Amino acid sequence: MPRRYHDPDWERLDRESFRARQFELLRARLTKVGATNPFYRRHWKASGLDLDTVNDLEQFSARVPVTTKQDMLADQQANPPFGDRLGVDRTELAGLNITSGTTGIGQEAYGLTEADLQVAGDAMAHQWTWAGLRPGDVVISTTPVTFLAAGLAVIEAIRQSRLVPIYGFGLDKKLLLELIVRHRAACVFAVPNLLIQLQQLALAEGYTREDFASVRAIVSPLIMPPFSLVEQIVEFWGAPEIGRAHV
């Protein structure tokens, strides 16, 4: 596979330069948040943090206190619905992420500005670039789209990359296969189990690899399957697999 860059200015940096640029951006963010965000100002003051002593990434890890889910929920309860960590006027919000609530103790809510959405989308858009996709390519995305961050970030990444999405979460698998063929999809975004199920159904329905010749890449949140499973997926679809677990 040819080497493709989504953001060459970052991806071509050596490790030392990369970390230096990381800290430069982080330092600017710490200064701004410390000056303008009531939640973090209180949180850092309570820990005794002096931002002037944070001069590299190692000091950041050692000195800046973590926040917990309980911290976030307490902030929301005191200042509903977002807490006073929001950091912007509510008229600037363009989106909302809510956590799943699987811990059983509550759901955090995060208001998002246009800039936040841009960052969320860009954090995933590189997978399309690395997969060799181009504007106008059709992507079959089976990730669930709710109030959770992952699905919404996929939508934004597709928009930024000017791809043509078919959102197929929950669709009948036979219909998914028909959509891939009919619309000449260039990419399928699905978990390994679904890819194997689609493969088994395709064989049962009489499809061949040639029917999926338009598919140039498979993108999957791998979650560490056996490598033999990855090889099986690649062999059937005839396309390289770009694993989210590797990016």
Side-chain angles (χ1 to χ4, degrees):
M1 180 186 299
R3 177 167 293 183
R4 304 182 180 99
Y5 294 102
H6 178 69
D7 189 342
D9 288 343
W10 274 97
E11 293 173 60
R12 290 175 174 171
L13 289 175
D14 59 67
R15 182 173 177 80
E16 183 177 347
S17 300
F18 184 89
R19 288 174 62 82
R21 186 180 292 185
Q22 272 187 316
F23 183 72
E24 179 184 355
L25 295 172
L26 175 62
R27 193 70 184 83
R29 179 62 59 182
L30 288 172
T31 300
K32 180 178 180 180
V33 169
T36 63
N37 192 289
F39 170 82
Y40 283 101
R41 190 162 55 239
R42 288 194 309 271
H43 187 64
W44 292 345
K45 182 177 181 180
S47 73
L49 174 67
D50 179 359
L51 285 179
D52 291 335
T53 68
V54 180
N55 297 306
D56 56 39
L57 293 174
E58 287 72 22
Q59 291 175 351
F60 170 77
S61 298
R63 297 175 182 175
V64 177
V66 299
T67 54
T68 67
K69 187 176 185 73
Q70 287 82 356
D71 293 330
M72 300 299 188
L73 293 175
D75 182 40
Q76 287 174 200
Q77 185 174 6
N79 302 279
F82 299 111
D84 62 5
R85 68 181 183 279
L86 182 61
V88 298
D89 189 89
R90 288 188 61 172
T91 60
E92 297 182 44
L93 297 184
L96 171 64
N97 287 158
I98 306 174
T99 58
S100 64
T102 52
T103 62
I105 63 174
Q107 294 173 283
E108 300 150 63
Y110 295 93
L112 306 174
T113 64
E114 289 285 358
D116 294 327
L117 293 174
Q118 178 69 31
V119 170
D122 190 60
M124 297 190 78
H126 61 269
Q127 65 189 356
W128 314 128
T129 303
W130 293 354
L133 301 186
R134 301 182 289 271
D137 280 341
V138 172
V139 175
I140 304 287
S141 174
T142 62
T143 190
V145 177
T146 61
F147 50 68
L148 299 176
L152 297 174
V154 169
I155 291 177
E156 180 63 19
I158 288 173
R159 186 194 67 81
Q160 288 182 21
S161 300
R162 293 163 36 211
L163 303 175
V164 180
I166 296 177
Y167 296 110
F169 176 73
L171 291 185
D172 178 79
K173 296 179 183 64
K174 185 179 293 188
L175 176 56
L176 280 176
L177 291 173
E178 292 173 2
L179 291 170
I180 293 170
V181 173
R182 185 192 318 157
H183 293 282
R184 300 178 182 176
C187 177
V188 179
F189 183 23
V191 297
N193 284 348
L194 178 55
L195 292 167
I196 293 297
Q197 292 169 12
L198 289 174
Q199 173 184 332
Q200 293 169 343
L201 180 59
L203 293 173
E205 293 290 317
Y207 286 99
T208 66
R209 178 186 291 183
E210 286 69 31
D211 293 310
F212 305 110
S214 65
V215 178
R216 303 200 305 276
I218 299 294
V219 178
S220 177
L222 275 177
I223 317 177
M224 299 306 291
F227 286 109
S228 59
L229 185 59
V230 176
E231 294 168 358
Q232 183 180 346
I233 292 169
V234 170
E235 181 179 1
F236 174 78
W237 293 97
E241 185 280 329
I242 309 296
R244 284 287 304 160
H246 301 302
V247 298

